[in-house]
Amino acid sequence: MESNVVTKKVLNATIFAAKSILPSSLVIHKPSLLRQPLEQESIGVLIGMTGDIRGSLIIEGTTDCLSKIGESMFGMPLNGEMLESFAAELGNMLAGNMAASLAADTTMDITPPTVIVGNTKLYGFNEAINLPISLEGSGTIHFIFMIER
C-alpha cells in the first residue's frame, strides 16, 4: 500500500476514534511532520502497531489535560497512579477503536500500552506524524505516529 494512502487511512481512523471516545467537542488540527528526537514533557502512552500497518503510536498530553478528560468521563479528578492507569486505558481504547475502524480492508493489531511519565526523548525513527486534537475545556492531546515504511 502506498505510504500516503496508509497515512491518510490511519489519520482518518484516529479522528473517528477520538470523536467516538473523547467526551467533548474536538478541534482537529493540521498534522505535522516530526524528526527525532521526539521530546515528551508530561505523560504519554506508547502502543505498538503490527500487521499491514506497522510502527508505534504515542498518545501524549499534559497531566492536567488527561486528568480533565478522566474527570469528564468518570466524574472525579484523577492524579498519581490512577491518572497513569487511566492514560493507559484511554490509549488502549483509542488505539483499539482505531484498529477496529481500519479492519474492513487493513489488518492492524495493537500491543498492550506502555505509559511514559516525565521528560523523555525518543529516538529510533526517521520521521513521525503529529496529529494534535484539542478538547474543549481540557487541552490538547497529540497522536504521534511512527509508521514503518
Side-chain angles (χ1 to χ4, degrees):
M1 206 178 311
E2 187 180 325
S3 65
N4 287 344
V5 172
V6 170
T7 300
K8 187 174 181 179
K9 279 183 165 190
V10 169
L11 292 175
N12 286 337
T14 302
I15 293 166
F16 177 79
K19 287 180 177 179
S20 300
I21 292 170
L22 297 172
S24 61
S25 297
L26 306 179
V27 175
I28 313 299
H29 300 280
K30 183 179 176 185
S32 62
L33 206 56
L34 299 176
R35 303 266 184 224
Q36 63 182 349
L38 169 63
E39 295 188 45
Q40 178 199 281
E41 295 181 8
S42 196
I43 188 167
V45 181
L46 173 68
I47 297 171
M49 301 179 297
T50 63
D52 294 340
I53 299 174
R54 295 184 7 236
S56 300
L57 164 63
I58 296 175
I59 301 168
E60 70 147 6
T62 64
T63 53
D64 186 54
C65 175
L66 290 171
S67 181
K68 286 178 181 175
I69 294 169
E71 185 172 3
S72 66
M73 291 175 83
F74 299 114
M76 58 185 251
L78 303 175
N79 53 44
E81 288 181 15
M82 284 289 286
L83 180 61
E84 292 167 14
S85 178
F86 169 71
E89 190 52 40
L90 180 65
N92 214 24
M93 289 188 300
L94 289 163
N97 191 297
M98 183 184 83
S101 71
L102 289 167
D105 62 352
T106 304
T107 301
M108 188 183 101
D109 292 316
I110 59 171
T111 64
T114 300
V115 177
I116 307 165
V117 179
N119 292 334
T120 307
K121 287 184 182 181
L122 296 171
Y123 295 88
F125 62 94
N126 291 326
E127 58 187 32
I129 299 162
N130 176 22
L131 176 64
I133 298 180
S134 296
L135 289 82
E136 185 179 336
S138 297
T140 301
I141 57 176
H142 298 267
F143 292 81
I144 301 163
F145 295 95
M146 295 170 276
I147 300 172
E148 294 175 13
R149 304 280 182 206

